[in-house]
PDB file of all heavy atoms in Angstrom:
ATOM      1  N   ARG A   1       0.815  -1.181  -0.055  1.00  0.00           N
ATOM      2  CA  ARG A   1       0.007   0.098  -0.035  1.00  0.00           C
ATOM      3  C   ARG A   1       0.841   1.341  -0.025  1.00  0.00           C
ATOM      4  O   ARG A   1       0.627   2.231  -0.694  1.00  0.00           O
ATOM      5  CB  ARG A   1      -0.858   0.034   1.189  1.00  0.00           C
ATOM      6  CG  ARG A   1      -1.838   1.151   1.334  1.00  0.00           C
ATOM      7  CD  ARG A   1      -2.711   1.198   0.255  1.00  0.00           C
ATOM      8  NE  ARG A   1      -3.557   2.478   0.165  1.00  0.00           N
ATOM      9  CZ  ARG A   1      -4.773   2.575  -0.147  1.00  0.00           C
ATOM     10  NH1 ARG A   1      -5.471   1.565  -0.595  1.00  0.00           N
ATOM     11  NH2 ARG A   1      -5.424   3.720   0.006  1.00  0.00           N
ATOM     12  N   TYR A   2       1.926   1.285   0.892  1.00  0.00           N
ATOM     13  CA  TYR A   2       2.841   2.320   0.860  1.00  0.00           C
ATOM     14  C   TYR A   2       3.467   2.494  -0.580  1.00  0.00           C
ATOM     15  O   TYR A   2       3.671   3.711  -1.133  1.00  0.00           O
ATOM     16  CB  TYR A   2       3.986   2.222   1.837  1.00  0.00           C
ATOM     17  CG  TYR A   2       3.616   2.686   3.136  1.00  0.00           C
ATOM     18  CD1 TYR A   2       3.548   1.816   4.334  1.00  0.00           C
ATOM     19  CD2 TYR A   2       3.323   4.046   3.515  1.00  0.00           C
ATOM     20  CE1 TYR A   2       3.228   2.123   5.486  1.00  0.00           C
ATOM     21  CE2 TYR A   2       3.016   4.401   4.746  1.00  0.00           C
ATOM     22  CZ  TYR A   2       2.994   3.528   5.895  1.00  0.00           C
ATOM     23  OH  TYR A   2       2.574   3.969   7.101  1.00  0.00           O
ATOM     24  N   ALA A   3       3.930   1.404  -1.161  1.00  0.00           N
ATOM     25  CA  ALA A   3       4.514   1.362  -2.448  1.00  0.00           C
ATOM     26  C   ALA A   3       3.422   2.108  -3.517  1.00  0.00           C
ATOM     27  O   ALA A   3       3.839   2.873  -4.324  1.00  0.00           O
ATOM     28  CB  ALA A   3       4.823   0.013  -2.946  1.00  0.00           C
ATOM     29  N   ALA A   4       2.152   1.696  -3.289  1.00  0.00           N
ATOM     30  CA  ALA A   4       1.141   2.179  -4.344  1.00  0.00           C
ATOM     31  C   ALA A   4       1.009   3.859  -4.158  1.00  0.00           C
ATOM     32  O   ALA A   4       1.036   4.544  -5.143  1.00  0.00           O
ATOM     33  CB  ALA A   4      -0.185   1.649  -4.120  1.00  0.00           C
ATOM     34  N   CYS A   5       1.032   4.283  -2.895  1.00  0.00           N
ATOM     35  CA  CYS A   5       1.120   5.682  -2.600  1.00  0.00           C
ATOM     36  C   CYS A   5       2.310   6.396  -3.156  1.00  0.00           C
ATOM     37  O   CYS A   5       2.102   7.341  -3.884  1.00  0.00           O
ATOM     38  CB  CYS A   5       0.913   6.006  -1.120  1.00  0.00           C
ATOM     39  SG  CYS A   5      -0.621   5.451  -0.409  1.00  0.00           S
ATOM     40  N   PHE A   6       3.409   5.794  -2.963  1.00  0.00           N
ATOM     41  CA  PHE A   6       4.654   6.400  -3.575  1.00  0.00           C
ATOM     42  C   PHE A   6       4.612   6.493  -5.000  1.00  0.00           C
ATOM     43  O   PHE A   6       4.823   7.492  -5.635  1.00  0.00           O
ATOM     44  CB  PHE A   6       5.972   5.697  -3.078  1.00  0.00           C
ATOM     45  CG  PHE A   6       7.133   6.356  -3.456  1.00  0.00           C
ATOM     46  CD1 PHE A   6       7.735   7.382  -2.832  1.00  0.00           C
ATOM     47  CD2 PHE A   6       7.831   5.743  -4.542  1.00  0.00           C
ATOM     48  CE1 PHE A   6       8.795   7.922  -3.210  1.00  0.00           C
ATOM     49  CE2 PHE A   6       8.926   6.441  -5.109  1.00  0.00           C
ATOM     50  CZ  PHE A   6       9.451   7.466  -4.477  1.00  0.00           C
ATOM     51  N   ALA A   7       4.368   5.287  -5.692  1.00  0.00           N
ATOM     52  CA  ALA A   7       4.213   5.348  -7.080  1.00  0.00           C
ATOM     53  C   ALA A   7       3.278   6.266  -7.682  1.00  0.00           C
ATOM     54  O   ALA A   7       3.626   6.941  -8.783  1.00  0.00           O
ATOM     55  CB  ALA A   7       4.040   3.818  -7.570  1.00  0.00           C
ATOM     56  N   ALA A   8       2.285   6.314  -7.096  1.00  0.00           N
ATOM     57  CA  ALA A   8       1.167   7.263  -7.594  1.00  0.00           C
ATOM     58  C   ALA A   8       1.548   8.683  -7.480  1.00  0.00           C
ATOM     59  O   ALA A   8       1.473   9.541  -8.400  1.00  0.00           O
ATOM     60  CB  ALA A   8      -0.154   7.125  -6.822  1.00  0.00           C
ATOM     61  N   LYS A   9       2.293   9.091  -6.408  1.00  0.00           N
ATOM     62  CA  LYS A   9       2.833  10.433  -6.273  1.00  0.00           C
ATOM     63  C   LYS A   9       4.074  10.701  -7.322  1.00  0.00           C
ATOM     64  O   LYS A   9       3.965  11.751  -7.942  1.00  0.00           O
ATOM     65  CB  LYS A   9       3.560  10.537  -4.736  1.00  0.00           C
ATOM     66  CG  LYS A   9       2.469  10.512  -3.669  1.00  0.00           C
ATOM     67  CD  LYS A   9       3.225  10.483  -2.254  1.00  0.00           C
ATOM     68  CE  LYS A   9       2.347  10.226  -1.066  1.00  0.00           C
ATOM     69  NZ  LYS A   9       1.697  11.558  -0.842  1.00  0.00           N
ATOM     70  N   GLU A  10       4.855   9.758  -7.362  1.00  0.00           N
ATOM     71  CA  GLU A  10       5.958   9.987  -8.389  1.00  0.00           C
ATOM     72  C   GLU A  10       5.451   9.989  -9.883  1.00  0.00           C
ATOM     73  O   GLU A  10       5.897  11.019 -10.622  1.00  0.00           O
ATOM     74  CB  GLU A  10       6.875   8.811  -8.272  1.00  0.00           C
ATOM     75  CG  GLU A  10       7.875   8.885  -7.177  1.00  0.00           C
ATOM     76  CD  GLU A  10       9.064   9.833  -7.606  1.00  0.00           C
ATOM     77  OE1 GLU A  10       9.584   9.776  -8.814  1.00  0.00           O
ATOM     78  OE2 GLU A  10       9.628  10.421  -6.745  1.00  0.00           O
ATOM     79  N   ALA A  11       4.510   9.203 -10.238  1.00  0.00           N
ATOM     80  CA  ALA A  11       3.882   9.300 -11.534  1.00  0.00           C
ATOM     81  C   ALA A  11       3.193  10.666 -11.750  1.00  0.00           C
ATOM     82  O   ALA A  11       3.266  11.128 -12.797  1.00  0.00           O
ATOM     83  CB  ALA A  11       3.001   8.164 -11.736  1.00  0.00           C
ATOM     84  N   THR A  12       2.430  11.159 -10.801  1.00  0.00           N
ATOM     85  CA  THR A  12       1.699  12.414 -10.783  1.00  0.00           C
ATOM     86  C   THR A  12       2.650  13.457 -11.163  1.00  0.00           C
ATOM     87  O   THR A  12       2.603  14.282 -12.011  1.00  0.00           O
ATOM     88  CB  THR A  12       0.892  12.625  -9.605  1.00  0.00           C
ATOM     89  OG1 THR A  12       0.031  11.552  -9.536  1.00  0.00           O
ATOM     90  CG2 THR A  12       0.241  13.962  -9.803  1.00  0.00           C
ATOM     91  N   LEU A  13       3.798  13.617 -10.300  1.00  0.00           N
ATOM     92  CA  LEU A  13       4.713  14.694 -10.395  1.00  0.00           C
ATOM     93  C   LEU A  13       5.538  14.590 -11.736  1.00  0.00           C
ATOM     94  O   LEU A  13       5.807  15.698 -12.315  1.00  0.00           O
ATOM     95  CB  LEU A  13       5.739  14.598  -9.194  1.00  0.00           C
ATOM     96  CG  LEU A  13       5.094  15.017  -7.923  1.00  0.00           C
ATOM     97  CD1 LEU A  13       6.083  14.700  -6.703  1.00  0.00           C
ATOM     98  CD2 LEU A  13       4.512  16.360  -7.755  1.00  0.00           C
ATOM     99  N   LYS A  14       5.819  13.370 -12.213  1.00  0.00           N
ATOM    100  CA  LYS A  14       6.386  13.248 -13.546  1.00  0.00           C
ATOM    101  C   LYS A  14       5.571  13.659 -14.634  1.00  0.00           C
ATOM    102  O   LYS A  14       5.877  14.392 -15.638  1.00  0.00           O
ATOM    103  CB  LYS A  14       6.791  11.773 -13.799  1.00  0.00           C
ATOM    104  CG  LYS A  14       7.980  11.264 -12.921  1.00  0.00           C
ATOM    105  CD  LYS A  14       8.232   9.829 -13.087  1.00  0.00           C
ATOM    106  CE  LYS A  14       9.412   9.441 -12.163  1.00  0.00           C
ATOM    107  NZ  LYS A  14       9.579   7.993 -12.344  1.00  0.00           N
ATOM    108  N   ALA A  15       4.132  13.412 -14.543  1.00  0.00           N
ATOM    109  CA  ALA A  15       3.199  13.836 -15.510  1.00  0.00           C
ATOM    110  C   ALA A  15       3.125  15.301 -15.613  1.00  0.00           C
ATOM    111  O   ALA A  15       2.944  15.880 -16.649  1.00  0.00           O
ATOM    112  CB  ALA A  15       1.862  13.206 -15.226  1.00  0.00           C
ATOM    113  N   ILE A  16       3.197  15.932 -14.473  1.00  0.00           N
ATOM    114  CA  ILE A  16       3.057  17.504 -14.371  1.00  0.00           C
ATOM    115  C   ILE A  16       4.376  18.056 -14.845  1.00  0.00           C
ATOM    116  O   ILE A  16       4.318  19.135 -15.567  1.00  0.00           O
ATOM    117  CB  ILE A  16       2.826  17.830 -12.989  1.00  0.00           C
ATOM    118  CG1 ILE A  16       1.369  17.464 -12.541  1.00  0.00           C
ATOM    119  CG2 ILE A  16       2.898  19.351 -12.819  1.00  0.00           C
ATOM    120  CD1 ILE A  16       1.103  17.576 -10.970  1.00  0.00           C
ATOM    121  N   GLY A  17       5.458  17.330 -14.835  1.00  0.00           N
ATOM    122  CA  GLY A  17       6.706  17.915 -15.231  1.00  0.00           C
ATOM    123  C   GLY A  17       7.214  18.814 -14.260  1.00  0.00           C
ATOM    124  O   GLY A  17       7.964  19.781 -14.684  1.00  0.00           O
ATOM    125  N   ILE A  18       7.066  18.668 -12.929  1.00  0.00           N
ATOM    126  CA  ILE A  18       7.356  19.554 -11.869  1.00  0.00           C
ATOM    127  C   ILE A  18       8.642  19.231 -11.332  1.00  0.00           C
ATOM    128  O   ILE A  18       8.887  18.015 -10.976  1.00  0.00           O
ATOM    129  CB  ILE A  18       6.158  19.805 -10.926  1.00  0.00           C
ATOM    130  CG1 ILE A  18       6.260  21.104 -10.081  1.00  0.00           C
ATOM    131  CG2 ILE A  18       5.972  18.588  -9.990  1.00  0.00           C
ATOM    132  CD1 ILE A  18       4.878  21.312  -9.412  1.00  0.00           C
ATOM    133  N   GLU A  19       9.387  20.149 -10.880  1.00  0.00           N
ATOM    134  CA  GLU A  19      10.665  19.836 -10.049  1.00  0.00           C
ATOM    135  C   GLU A  19      10.224  19.688  -8.547  1.00  0.00           C
ATOM    136  O   GLU A  19       9.278  20.458  -8.186  1.00  0.00           O
ATOM    137  CB  GLU A  19      11.692  20.928 -10.241  1.00  0.00           C
ATOM    138  CG  GLU A  19      12.413  20.876 -11.576  1.00  0.00           C
ATOM    139  CD  GLU A  19      13.553  21.948 -11.666  1.00  0.00           C
ATOM    140  OE1 GLU A  19      14.140  22.051 -10.539  1.00  0.00           O
ATOM    141  OE2 GLU A  19      13.770  22.512 -12.744  1.00  0.00           O
ATOM    142  N   ILE A  20      10.888  18.903  -7.837  1.00  0.00           N
ATOM    143  CA  ILE A  20      10.508  18.526  -6.526  1.00  0.00           C
ATOM    144  C   ILE A  20      11.525  19.363  -5.498  1.00  0.00           C
ATOM    145  O   ILE A  20      12.514  18.825  -5.355  1.00  0.00           O
ATOM    146  CB  ILE A  20      10.558  17.088  -6.200  1.00  0.00           C
ATOM    147  CG1 ILE A  20       9.571  16.422  -7.165  1.00  0.00           C
ATOM    148  CG2 ILE A  20      10.076  16.799  -4.847  1.00  0.00           C
ATOM    149  CD1 ILE A  20       9.593  14.964  -7.334  1.00  0.00           C
ATOM    150  N   PRO A  21      11.302  20.544  -5.062  1.00  0.00           N
ATOM    151  CA  PRO A  21      12.207  21.222  -4.222  1.00  0.00           C
ATOM    152  C   PRO A  21      12.234  20.737  -2.749  1.00  0.00           C
ATOM    153  O   PRO A  21      13.256  20.960  -2.095  1.00  0.00           O
ATOM    154  CB  PRO A  21      11.517  22.584  -4.261  1.00  0.00           C
ATOM    155  CG  PRO A  21      10.175  22.430  -4.413  1.00  0.00           C
ATOM    156  CD  PRO A  21       9.933  21.281  -5.221  1.00  0.00           C
ATOM    157  N   ASP A  22      11.313  19.955  -2.313  1.00  0.00           N
ATOM    158  CA  ASP A  22      11.243  19.529  -0.928  1.00  0.00           C
ATOM    159  C   ASP A  22      10.259  18.366  -0.809  1.00  0.00           C
ATOM    160  O   ASP A  22       9.421  18.145  -1.638  1.00  0.00           O
ATOM    161  CB  ASP A  22      10.908  20.610   0.037  1.00  0.00           C
ATOM    162  CG  ASP A  22       9.531  21.350  -0.308  1.00  0.00           C
ATOM    163  OD1 ASP A  22       8.656  20.759  -0.430  1.00  0.00           O
ATOM    164  OD2 ASP A  22       9.679  22.566  -0.516  1.00  0.00           O
ATOM    165  N   LEU A  23      10.405  17.536   0.290  1.00  0.00           N
ATOM    166  CA  LEU A  23       9.606  16.417   0.479  1.00  0.00           C
ATOM    167  C   LEU A  23       8.117  16.754   0.781  1.00  0.00           C
ATOM    168  O   LEU A  23       7.174  16.080   0.583  1.00  0.00           O
ATOM    169  CB  LEU A  23      10.092  15.560   1.760  1.00  0.00           C
ATOM    170  CG  LEU A  23      11.409  14.834   1.559  1.00  0.00           C
ATOM    171  CD1 LEU A  23      11.778  14.129   2.818  1.00  0.00           C
ATOM    172  CD2 LEU A  23      11.262  13.982   0.365  1.00  0.00           C
ATOM    173  N   ALA A  24       7.797  18.016   1.239  1.00  0.00           N
ATOM    174  CA  ALA A  24       6.433  18.481   1.422  1.00  0.00           C
ATOM    175  C   ALA A  24       5.738  18.296   0.141  1.00  0.00           C
ATOM    176  O   ALA A  24       4.455  18.096   0.226  1.00  0.00           O
ATOM    177  CB  ALA A  24       6.509  19.891   2.060  1.00  0.00           C
ATOM    178  N   MET A  25       6.327  18.522  -1.050  1.00  0.00           N
ATOM    179  CA  MET A  25       5.529  18.372  -2.254  1.00  0.00           C
ATOM    180  C   MET A  25       4.865  17.113  -2.384  1.00  0.00           C
ATOM    181  O   MET A  25       3.891  16.973  -2.983  1.00  0.00           O
ATOM    182  CB  MET A  25       6.404  18.798  -3.351  1.00  0.00           C
ATOM    183  CG  MET A  25       5.613  18.839  -4.777  1.00  0.00           C
ATOM    184  SD  MET A  25       6.501  19.581  -6.054  1.00  0.00           S
ATOM    185  CE  MET A  25       6.292  21.363  -5.689  1.00  0.00           C
ATOM    186  N   PHE A  26       5.529  15.918  -1.900  1.00  0.00           N
ATOM    187  CA  PHE A  26       4.984  14.675  -2.003  1.00  0.00           C
ATOM    188  C   PHE A  26       3.670  14.477  -1.215  1.00  0.00           C
ATOM    189  O   PHE A  26       2.739  13.904  -1.625  1.00  0.00           O
ATOM    190  CB  PHE A  26       5.987  13.571  -1.529  1.00  0.00           C
ATOM    191  CG  PHE A  26       7.017  13.207  -2.472  1.00  0.00           C
ATOM    192  CD1 PHE A  26       8.270  13.836  -2.464  1.00  0.00           C
ATOM    193  CD2 PHE A  26       6.906  12.324  -3.513  1.00  0.00           C
ATOM    194  CE1 PHE A  26       9.352  13.529  -3.240  1.00  0.00           C
ATOM    195  CE2 PHE A  26       7.795  11.954  -4.325  1.00  0.00           C
ATOM    196  CZ  PHE A  26       9.102  12.537  -4.331  1.00  0.00           C
ATOM    197  N   ARG A  27       3.608  15.387  -0.066  1.00  0.00           N
ATOM    198  CA  ARG A  27       2.442  15.307   0.644  1.00  0.00           C
ATOM    199  C   ARG A  27       1.221  16.068  -0.044  1.00  0.00           C
ATOM    200  O   ARG A  27      -0.002  16.042   0.307  1.00  0.00           O
ATOM    201  CB  ARG A  27       2.592  15.784   2.091  1.00  0.00           C
ATOM    202  CG  ARG A  27       3.468  14.947   2.858  1.00  0.00           C
ATOM    203  CD  ARG A  27       3.686  15.309   4.363  1.00  0.00           C
ATOM    204  NE  ARG A  27       4.090  16.769   4.563  1.00  0.00           N
ATOM    205  CZ  ARG A  27       5.354  17.062   4.580  1.00  0.00           C
ATOM    206  NH1 ARG A  27       6.366  16.143   4.542  1.00  0.00           N
ATOM    207  NH2 ARG A  27       5.670  18.238   4.820  1.00  0.00           N
ATOM    208  N   GLU A  28       1.536  16.814  -1.146  1.00  0.00           N
ATOM    209  CA  GLU A  28       0.616  17.491  -1.910  1.00  0.00           C
ATOM    210  C   GLU A  28      -0.170  16.724  -2.803  1.00  0.00           C
ATOM    211  O   GLU A  28      -1.127  17.151  -3.617  1.00  0.00           O
ATOM    212  CB  GLU A  28       1.163  18.801  -2.493  1.00  0.00           C
ATOM    213  CG  GLU A  28       1.604  19.830  -1.534  1.00  0.00           C
ATOM    214  CD  GLU A  28       2.463  20.931  -2.190  1.00  0.00           C
ATOM    215  OE1 GLU A  28       2.386  21.037  -3.443  1.00  0.00           O
ATOM    216  OE2 GLU A  28       3.118  21.720  -1.457  1.00  0.00           O
ATOM    217  N   VAL A  29       0.270  15.539  -2.984  1.00  0.00           N
ATOM    218  CA  VAL A  29      -0.479  14.531  -3.766  1.00  0.00           C
ATOM    219  C   VAL A  29      -0.829  13.249  -2.818  1.00  0.00           C
ATOM    220  O   VAL A  29       0.030  12.679  -2.295  1.00  0.00           O
ATOM    221  CB  VAL A  29       0.495  13.852  -4.998  1.00  0.00           C
ATOM    222  CG1 VAL A  29      -0.162  12.804  -5.766  1.00  0.00           C
ATOM    223  CG2 VAL A  29       1.170  14.994  -5.755  1.00  0.00           C
ATOM    224  N   GLU A  30      -2.093  13.049  -2.714  1.00  0.00           N
ATOM    225  CA  GLU A  30      -2.528  12.069  -1.856  1.00  0.00           C
ATOM    226  C   GLU A  30      -3.309  10.973  -2.588  1.00  0.00           C
ATOM    227  O   GLU A  30      -4.286  11.333  -3.277  1.00  0.00           O
ATOM    228  CB  GLU A  30      -3.439  12.623  -0.732  1.00  0.00           C
ATOM    229  CG  GLU A  30      -3.885  11.613   0.294  1.00  0.00           C
ATOM    230  CD  GLU A  30      -4.570  12.299   1.391  1.00  0.00           C
ATOM    231  OE1 GLU A  30      -4.376  13.420   1.819  1.00  0.00           O
ATOM    232  OE2 GLU A  30      -5.709  11.594   1.780  1.00  0.00           O
ATOM    233  N   LEU A  31      -2.919   9.779  -2.282  1.00  0.00           N
ATOM    234  CA  LEU A  31      -3.687   8.547  -2.928  1.00  0.00           C
ATOM    235  C   LEU A  31      -4.924   8.331  -2.014  1.00  0.00           C
ATOM    236  O   LEU A  31      -4.696   8.028  -0.729  1.00  0.00           O
ATOM    237  CB  LEU A  31      -2.838   7.306  -3.054  1.00  0.00           C
ATOM    238  CG  LEU A  31      -3.499   6.028  -3.536  1.00  0.00           C
ATOM    239  CD1 LEU A  31      -3.856   6.364  -5.105  1.00  0.00           C
ATOM    240  CD2 LEU A  31      -2.528   5.062  -3.499  1.00  0.00           C
ATOM    241  N   GLY A  32      -6.021   8.292  -2.597  1.00  0.00           N
ATOM    242  CA  GLY A  32      -7.217   7.981  -1.775  1.00  0.00           C
ATOM    243  C   GLY A  32      -8.105   6.977  -2.588  1.00  0.00           C
ATOM    244  O   GLY A  32      -7.723   6.396  -3.532  1.00  0.00           O
ATOM    245  N   GLU A  33      -9.266   6.702  -2.115  1.00  0.00           N
ATOM    246  CA  GLU A  33     -10.206   5.809  -2.633  1.00  0.00           C
ATOM    247  C   GLU A  33     -11.612   6.451  -2.593  1.00  0.00           C
ATOM    248  O   GLU A  33     -12.061   7.069  -1.581  1.00  0.00           O
ATOM    249  CB  GLU A  33     -10.192   4.490  -1.978  1.00  0.00           C
ATOM    250  CG  GLU A  33      -9.042   3.655  -2.121  1.00  0.00           C
ATOM    251  CD  GLU A  33      -9.005   2.378  -1.390  1.00  0.00           C
ATOM    252  OE1 GLU A  33     -10.120   2.124  -0.663  1.00  0.00           O
ATOM    253  OE2 GLU A  33      -8.087   1.523  -1.409  1.00  0.00           O
ATOM    254  N   ASP A  34     -12.368   6.199  -3.621  1.00  0.00           N
ATOM    255  CA  ASP A  34     -13.847   6.682  -3.607  1.00  0.00           C
ATOM    256  C   ASP A  34     -14.701   5.519  -2.828  1.00  0.00           C
ATOM    257  O   ASP A  34     -14.063   4.575  -2.367  1.00  0.00           O
ATOM    258  CB  ASP A  34     -14.395   6.927  -5.046  1.00  0.00           C
ATOM    259  CG  ASP A  34     -14.448   5.707  -5.896  1.00  0.00           C
ATOM    260  OD1 ASP A  34     -14.439   4.655  -5.474  1.00  0.00           O
ATOM    261  OD2 ASP A  34     -14.524   5.906  -7.198  1.00  0.00           O
ATOM    262  N   ARG A  35     -15.964   5.734  -2.970  1.00  0.00           N
ATOM    263  CA  ARG A  35     -16.805   4.821  -2.086  1.00  0.00           C
ATOM    264  C   ARG A  35     -16.808   3.399  -2.730  1.00  0.00           C
ATOM    265  O   ARG A  35     -17.168   2.410  -2.019  1.00  0.00           O
ATOM    266  CB  ARG A  35     -18.288   5.375  -2.189  1.00  0.00           C
ATOM    267  CG  ARG A  35     -18.336   6.522  -1.271  1.00  0.00           C
ATOM    268  CD  ARG A  35     -19.724   7.126  -1.526  1.00  0.00           C
ATOM    269  NE  ARG A  35     -19.708   8.398  -0.905  1.00  0.00           N
ATOM    270  CZ  ARG A  35     -20.656   8.937  -0.041  1.00  0.00           C
ATOM    271  NH1 ARG A  35     -21.642   8.151   0.333  1.00  0.00           N
ATOM    272  NH2 ARG A  35     -20.536  10.141   0.400  1.00  0.00           N
TER     273      ARG A  35
END
């Protein structure tokens, strides 16, 4: 589950093409689930 969260965060940041200046940016992408 942690791996899924991490991979989703990394893939999102790569898709956006954004540089990662600090670890806080990873917390700005959260993996969730709908109902």
Side-chain angles (χ1 to χ4, degrees):
R1 180 65 187 213
Y2 277 115
C5 290
F6 181 81
K9 291 169 184 286
E10 277 280 320
T12 301
L13 295 171
K14 289 175 182 176
I16 296 168
I18 198 167
E19 290 189 34
I20 305 166
D22 52 56
L23 289 180
M25 186 165 275
F26 282 97
R27 293 189 302 274
E28 295 175 12
V29 179
E30 181 178 324
L31 178 64
E33 291 179 1
D34 66 14
R35 293 175 191 228

